[in-house]
Amino acid sequence: MERPDGVRESEREADADSRTLPERESDSFAESRSPSTSGRVEWLLVVGLLAVPMAVVPGGSGDPTLVSLWGFATLGGDGVVGVGGYPVWAYFLDQPRPFATLPPSIRAWPLAVGFHLIAAASATAGVALGREDRRVTGGLLALAAAASLWVAVGLGVRFGVGATVGWLAVLPAGAVVTLVVALAGYGRDLYGIAAGPPR
């Protein structure tokens, strides 16, 4: 004999209330987590980081040099539009010294490029294919920010010493912007790594 609908509803409510506290907390944790893949805005921000200069180095003549992931661009240079450039691969290929003997901040440059590219590929896979681990994307952005900061600090030590404003004149733009994107877009995912799984 079937029970009335009201009884079945109250049984379901009783079953839901009888779950243990950890089960209910894990459900609320799953609901509060961020989406499983990057959205279009996050993807645009991550890909846009590829164009942000890692550092802005003031020039002796007043024309700053932008140090990007891809090389140097001197504003007010001899180029067609007043911008002179020197790609990073030419810098490493023209280098007479072995890679291992270069300053640590210069050796961190390829790491910054790699972390940015892999983070962009991860976010692209999330948008295009629906397959991404946001913790990986956020972690790669944090590593990219650290590597970019290392490059900027090294440039500041080498080129800022003896300048009237000191080595703090080198602005670590890439590290700051990358860290902001990592925290704003993937902060919950990074917090999930630090906090560990729910208990």
Side-chain angles (χ1 to χ4, degrees):
M1 183 182 271
E2 284 201 28
R3 296 177 181 171
D5 285 341
V7 173
R8 269 191 253 140
E9 276 300 316
S10 63
E11 283 180 356
R12 270 190 288 231
E13 288 171 7
D15 287 344
D17 289 339
S18 68
R19 289 181 305 163
T20 63
L21 183 60
E23 288 173 340
R24 283 182 290 192
E25 283 179 352
S26 68
D27 286 348
S28 65
F29 178 77
E31 290 169 7
S32 70
R33 283 190 319 201
S34 52
S36 61
T37 61
S38 294
R40 291 194 185 275
V41 172
E42 292 162 329
W43 173 76
L44 283 172
L45 290 172
V46 173
V47 171
L49 290 172
L50 298 173
V52 175
M54 286 192 290
V56 180
V57 181
S61 62
D63 298 326
T65 298
L66 304 178
V67 181
S68 76
L69 293 168
W70 316 111
F72 302 94
T74 304
L75 304 180
D78 298 332
V80 179
V81 290
V83 177
Y86 186 51
V88 68
W89 53 87
Y91 174 81
F92 284 111
L93 291 175
D94 294 344
Q95 192 61 239
R97 296 183 289 170
F99 183 79
T101 63
L102 294 174
S105 61
I106 297 298
R107 293 194 310 251
W109 198 326
L111 288 174
V113 173
F115 289 141
H116 274 93
L117 286 175
I118 298 170
S122 178
T124 301
V127 170
L129 306 173
R131 298 187 58 88
E132 174 191 16
D133 187 339
R134 292 174 53 89
R135 296 169 299 178
V136 170
T137 307
L140 286 165
L141 289 175
L143 291 171
S148 297
L149 181 63
W150 190 260
V151 172
V153 167
L155 290 169
V157 168
R158 279 194 303 286
F159 297 112
V161 173
T164 54
V165 288
W167 66 272
L168 290 174
V170 174
L171 304 174
V176 172
V177 174
T178 302
L179 190 59
V180 166
V181 170
L183 292 176
Y186 302 90
R188 281 189 182 168
D189 305 291
L190 293 173
Y191 176 75
I193 294 171
R199 294 179 182 165

